[in-house]
Amino acid sequence: MIDIKNLSIQFTGENLFENVNLKIAKHDKIALVGSNGTGKSTFLKLLNSIEIPESGSISKQKGITIGYLPQDLIAFKGFTLFEEVKSAIPNIKVLEEREIEIIDGLNQPDLLDEDREELLEELGEIHHKKEEIDFYLADSKIEKVLEGLGFDKKDFPRKTDEFSGGWQMRIQLAQILLAENDLILLDEPTNHLDIDTLTWLEDFLQEFKGALIIVSHDRHFVNSVTNKTLEVFDKQINFFPGNYGAYLKFKDERDIQLRALQKTQEKKIKDVEKFIERFRYKSTKAKQVQSRIKQLEKLDSISISEEEKRIDIKFPEPPRSGVLPVEINNVSLSYGNLQVLQGVNLQIERGDKIAIVGPNGAGKTTLAKIIGSKLKPSSGELTYGHNTLVSYYEQEVADALNPEYDLIDTLEETNDKLSIGQIRTILGSFLFSGDDVFKKIKVLSGGEKSRVALANLLLTKSNLIILDEPTNHLDFSSKGILQRALIDFSGTLIIVSHDIDFLKPITTKVLEIRNRHVKLFVGGIEYYLQKRKEIADSESAEILNTGQKTNRKDQKRAEAELRQQKFSLTKDLKAKLTECEKKISKLEIEKKRLEDELADKNIFSNPQLAKERNYEYQSIKLLLEPEYNLWTELSHQIEKIENNLTTNL
């Protein structure tokens, strides 16, 4: 589908990629991995023709369609949510507008008969095209995708301007998922999604028939939806079979083998060099020395990927807090008429490691801010226990850093007792070395700002740490180091995160916020997901049982509405089916007549007459074949529409 040959591109005077050669097939599901700054986003832009390579080529199959979700979000304006998303479905708008034009044309009183015939023929073609693209089921598909991405039905008529950045990303994602693309490119799609939405998106992408390339630091997500891995390292892009988990195992095994080969080769080189040095000046050994020199020149060096630099986080041992670092009693919070939290009661015990989860907008960050004293509740009481010391890392903290400060100034302001050497050591563990420490905050990327903010977090001894989405800008390696540090942290942790793989080994409890209320699950994130599924299955069964108990009057009304929907969506198809059946019946009568005549002795004994009847008989068979095919196709379309309506009832 895509053929990449000798691809090279520069960034700030240095090559990001050099002579990359790859092929991407039509059903590949690929995780694109590599350290921050290696060029993953640039590679996606190259595939989508946003960036132009310095040299080499990217050849795409003719007519290929690509859906691209960048990290930089688009701001939609002017249409309702439903209209904006519907506009992304191929040909929908064009067919709708042309159908209106034709109907207007047919209503003109002075329309000539020949023009009427042309318009009617085109109208028939439009109806056929609408059937081909499941036009009549488009609204149902849009509803399913929007609800899967966390939108409520009451959001459908809202203007897109009203939605915030994270929801704008979901609008764009909905368009991409509905557009029937051959290739989907997703650059960090999980940053603004909650666990419910992530689970739905995983299921959708697993069923997607086209090709997929994902940049994401959510290991659970990429392992669920990909089957191949592209590694960006040392200005090259290397293909590995299997998902990211399989790639890591393969990489470890490969490195072990290469180190063994390298060790053997180094010993061989040392032995040869000793021989050359010993006999270099002996004329009797001249030929052998030259032979050994050529032997060395022919040896290919065995290169092993250097260990990537990683964040080395070690939280200081915190002072011991009381048994209950935090108690929350009947806490509620409202913004005007909008109630976010209602009657929250919670005791957080020393050593708890709690994940706060729930749909976007449910109040996860709000509760985290209340616990961190960044936000005052509308009612209720928050009480800190004996010797509770709080540190708070939030999503916006990176943007709150002074843009005019350099990195040393930033950390020095947090703790002026540290020496420059100590500050440089801390920054070095966060991948900032050499002159990087003198960079202004304003020139840093989002990921770099997040790392500075995390460095700040380490400078104060706290026994209660609150982290709001700490992994959004960390690569796999950095997340692993942070994960291990949090596992070893002896204080109390509260983490707002949707990153399942990150939370698995850390959390001991899960606090779910849903419909303004909280529910505590005593167990890790996997236990929570299992219980959540059981609850969802139970609710579905209850809805089903409730539905079965609806009175006969409601049932009759629903059945009547269903019949009306079926009639409305299938009447044109059924009219065509009836016409098709009439043709088939007429042709089958004619076919039976000819079969009887060909069996008549007076006919088959007359060669000329038999030839004529046989010709007529073959002609009838040729006419019947496409009618049979049409009947089958129309019946299938009617059945599909009726089944979908019955399923969605």
Side-chain angles (χ1 to χ4, degrees):
M1 188 168 68
I2 296 180
D3 192 7
I4 300 168
K5 292 181 179 176
N6 301 319
L7 178 72
S8 297
I9 188 169
Q10 287 188 358
F11 183 72
T12 63
E14 291 187 10
N15 275 343
L16 268 180
F17 310 125
E18 289 180 351
N19 299 319
V20 170
N21 291 280
L22 287 173
K23 288 183 186 292
I24 297 168
K26 68 193 304 190
H27 299 302
D28 281 346
K29 302 285 179 71
I30 299 167
L32 182 61
V33 303
S35 299
N36 286 347
T38 53
K40 300 186 297 293
S41 295
T42 300
F43 183 67
L44 295 187
K45 289 176 183 177
L46 286 164
L47 291 178
N48 200 40
S49 302
I50 295 171
E51 297 276 358
I52 307 299
E54 301 290 330
S55 60
S57 63
I58 301 176
S59 303
K60 299 172 189 172
Q61 185 180 320
K62 189 175 181 182
I64 187 176
T65 56
I66 298 176
Y68 171 56
L69 181 75
Q71 287 192 52
D72 302 323
L73 301 178
I74 292 174
F76 294 98
K77 291 181 180 179
F79 294 99
T80 67
L81 169 63
F82 202 89
E83 289 169 341
E84 186 66 59
V85 173
K86 191 172 185 178
S87 69
I89 301 179
N91 299 323
I92 286 272
K93 193 171 183 180
V94 174
L95 290 174
E96 280 183 325
E97 290 175 350
R98 183 56 186 153
E99 185 176 31
I100 292 168
E101 288 174 2
I102 290 170
I103 291 169
D104 287 344
L106 288 169
N107 289 328
Q108 298 302 315
D110 55 349
L111 185 67
L112 298 175
D113 288 344
E114 58 187 46
D115 292 337
R116 182 179 298 277
E117 285 296 321
E118 283 184 14
L119 287 175
L120 285 170
E121 186 177 341
E122 188 182 351
L123 188 61
E125 289 173 1
I126 284 174
H127 287 164
H128 180 64
K129 286 176 182 175
K130 286 167 77 173
E131 289 156 13
E132 282 182 338
I133 64 171
D134 285 339
F135 177 91
Y136 301 105
L137 300 176
D139 285 3
S140 174
K141 285 182 181 177
I142 293 167
E143 284 183 17
K144 283 182 179 178
V145 169
L146 286 175
E147 287 176 356
L149 290 174
F151 291 98
D152 195 275
K153 281 188 177 178
K154 66 175 181 280
D155 294 324
F156 294 177
R158 288 175 60 193
K159 292 288 187 182
T160 52
D161 317 48
E162 299 174 28
F163 293 96
S164 63
W167 291 99
Q168 291 277 348
M169 183 280 283
R170 294 186 192 212
I171 296 172
Q172 191 175 4
L173 183 56
Q175 289 185 322
I176 291 167
L177 299 182
L178 286 162
E180 298 179 7
N181 293 293
D182 301 297
L183 170 64
I184 291 178
L185 310 173
L186 302 177
D187 196 351
E188 295 292 359
T190 67
N191 281 355
H192 301 279
L193 303 181
D194 53 67
I195 285 179
D196 291 356
T197 309
L198 266 175
T199 303
W200 178 88
L201 183 60
E202 284 173 15
D203 293 339
F204 186 97
L205 294 177
Q206 284 166 2
E207 297 296 320
F208 176 61
K209 303 301 182 188
L212 184 66
I213 302 179
I214 298 177
V215 175
S216 174
H217 293 135
D218 188 327
R219 185 180 297 184
H220 176 84
F221 177 71
V222 294
N223 278 336
S224 297
V225 300
T226 64
N227 52 32
K228 294 183 178 178
T229 304
L230 279 177
E231 177 197 47
V232 184
F233 181 78
D234 197 23
K235 302 177 184 177
Q236 283 297 308
I237 304 178
N238 303 307
F239 234 133
F240 293 89
N243 63 15
Y244 184 71
Y247 151 74
L248 287 177
K249 290 178 184 175
F250 171 83
K251 185 172 178 287
D252 288 343
E253 291 169 3
R254 179 196 63 186
D255 288 349
I256 290 168
Q257 291 173 353
L258 287 175
R259 284 191 185 95
L261 286 172
Q262 190 182 57
K263 193 172 181 180
T264 302
Q265 189 187 66
E266 285 172 353
K267 184 178 183 305
K268 185 177 180 179
I269 290 170
K270 200 173 285 185
D271 290 342
V272 172
E273 285 176 341
K274 279 183 182 178
F275 180 90
I276 293 170
E277 187 63 30
R278 182 178 177 186
F279 299 110
R280 183 184 297 275
Y281 303 108
K282 288 195 177 183
S283 58
T284 56
K285 298 284 188 179
K287 283 187 178 180
Q288 290 170 289
V289 168
Q290 288 302 313
S291 174
R292 297 293 198 283
I293 290 171
K294 287 178 181 178
Q295 187 180 344
L296 282 181
E297 289 173 351
K298 288 179 181 178
L299 279 176
D300 292 326
S301 62
I302 297 171
S303 57
I304 299 174
S305 300
E306 295 176 14
E307 289 294 322
E308 294 179 4
K309 292 187 294 181
R310 304 189 303 178
I311 297 178
D312 185 14
I313 297 177
K314 185 168 179 59
F315 288 101
E317 186 62 29
R320 191 174 176 83
S321 71
V323 176
L324 295 177
V326 180
E327 286 189 85
I328 298 171
N329 296 305
N330 204 29
V331 161
S332 297
L333 186 134
S334 300
Y335 296 106
N337 296 324
L338 177 64
Q339 187 164 40
V340 181
L341 297 171
Q342 181 181 341
V344 175
N345 290 286
L346 182 67
Q347 287 187 332
I348 298 173
E349 299 175 354
R350 183 177 61 221
D352 275 350
K353 295 186 177 179
I354 300 173
I356 300 181
V357 302
N360 275 13
K364 302 187 295 293
T365 294
T366 299
L367 182 58
K369 284 184 174 180
I370 289 172
I371 297 171
S373 290
K374 301 290 182 181
L375 195 61
K376 189 174 181 181
S378 306
S379 62
E381 186 179 14
L382 172 84
T383 307
Y384 288 130
H386 170 69
N387 203 32
T388 298
L389 304 173
V390 182
S391 281
Y392 185 83
Y393 172 91
E394 60 181 322
Q395 297 177 66
E396 294 81 16
V397 73
D399 295 326
L401 298 172
N402 189 324
E404 297 303 323
Y405 279 14
D406 63 27
L407 275 61
I408 287 180
D409 293 337
T410 302
L411 268 65
E412 202 170 33
E413 185 180 51
T414 304
N415 190 333
D416 58 8
K417 293 180 180 178
L418 293 175
S419 68
I420 297 297
Q422 288 172 312
I423 290 175
R424 288 193 71 125
T425 299
I426 293 169
L427 288 170
S429 69
F430 282 83
L431 313 186
F432 297 109
S433 58
D435 291 340
D436 289 344
V437 300
F438 300 114
K439 285 181 177 178
K440 299 278 189 186
I441 295 294
K442 64 184 178 184
V443 304
L444 300 182
S445 67
E448 288 170 330
K449 287 179 183 176
S450 294
R451 299 206 304 271
V452 174
L454 282 171
N456 261 338
L457 184 68
L458 293 186
L459 299 183
T460 55
K461 284 189 175 183
S462 302
N463 48 34
L464 172 60
I465 294 179
I466 303 166
L467 301 168
D468 190 358
E469 299 291 359
T471 66
N472 274 359
H473 297 287
L474 299 180
D475 61 18
F476 285 115
S477 179
S478 302
K479 276 180 19 179
I481 298 299
L482 176 59
Q483 188 182 60
R484 286 190 288 275
L486 294 175
I487 291 168
D488 294 337
F489 178 61
S490 60
T492 305
L493 268 180
I494 296 171
I495 308 173
V496 178
S497 178
H498 57 260
D499 192 326
I500 295 168
D501 193 69
F502 179 75
L503 293 172
K504 273 182 187 177
I506 300 173
T507 54
T508 56
K509 295 179 182 178
V510 176
L511 186 69
E512 180 191 66
I513 304 179
R514 200 176 289 269
N515 299 323
R516 304 183 304 281
H517 297 283
V518 303
K519 183 173 183 179
L520 188 66
F521 294 79
V522 181
I525 191 70
E526 289 179 296
Y527 169 79
Y528 162 74
L529 291 172
Q530 178 191 336
K531 299 304 288 184
R532 183 71 241 162
K533 186 177 185 305
E534 289 173 8
I535 291 167
D537 290 344
S538 174
E539 288 172 350
S540 297
E542 190 177 335
I543 290 168
L544 183 62
N545 291 334
T546 304
Q548 290 171 347
K549 293 176 185 175
T550 45
N551 62 51
R552 185 64 185 157
K553 184 178 178 182
D554 289 341
Q555 188 177 344
K556 282 184 175 180
R557 184 170 64 249
E559 288 172 354
E561 289 173 356
L562 178 62
R563 285 195 298 273
Q564 180 59 37
Q565 277 188 291
K566 285 182 178 179
F567 172 76
S568 176
L569 294 177
T570 62
K571 64 179 180 179
D572 290 343
L573 291 173
K574 286 183 175 178
K576 289 181 182 180
L577 187 67
T578 302
E579 187 63 32
C580 180
E581 287 172 343
K582 287 179 182 176
K583 287 183 183 178
I584 288 172
S585 178
K586 186 177 178 182
L587 289 168
E588 283 181 338
I589 291 169
E590 187 66 13
K591 179 171 173 277
K592 181 69 170 62
R593 181 186 66 78
L594 288 166
E595 285 172 347
D596 291 343
E597 288 188 8
L598 286 168
D600 188 337
K601 185 179 178 183
N602 294 327
I603 301 289
F604 70 71
S605 62
N606 184 331
Q608 181 61 34
L609 200 55
K611 183 179 179 181
E612 289 174 2
R613 294 294 184 273
N614 189 58
Y615 177 79
E616 288 179 48
Y617 178 71
Q618 295 300 328
S619 297
I620 291 293
K621 283 178 68 178
L622 286 171
L623 290 171
L624 268 170
E625 186 65 30
E627 294 299 330
Y628 285 143
N629 291 338
L630 179 60
W631 185 90
T632 302
E633 177 62 26
L634 290 169
S635 300
H636 175 71
Q637 289 183 28
I638 292 167
E639 183 183 0
K640 186 177 177 182
I641 290 172
E642 290 181 340
N643 286 344
N644 274 306
L645 285 171
T646 304
T647 302
N648 295 330
L649 182 64

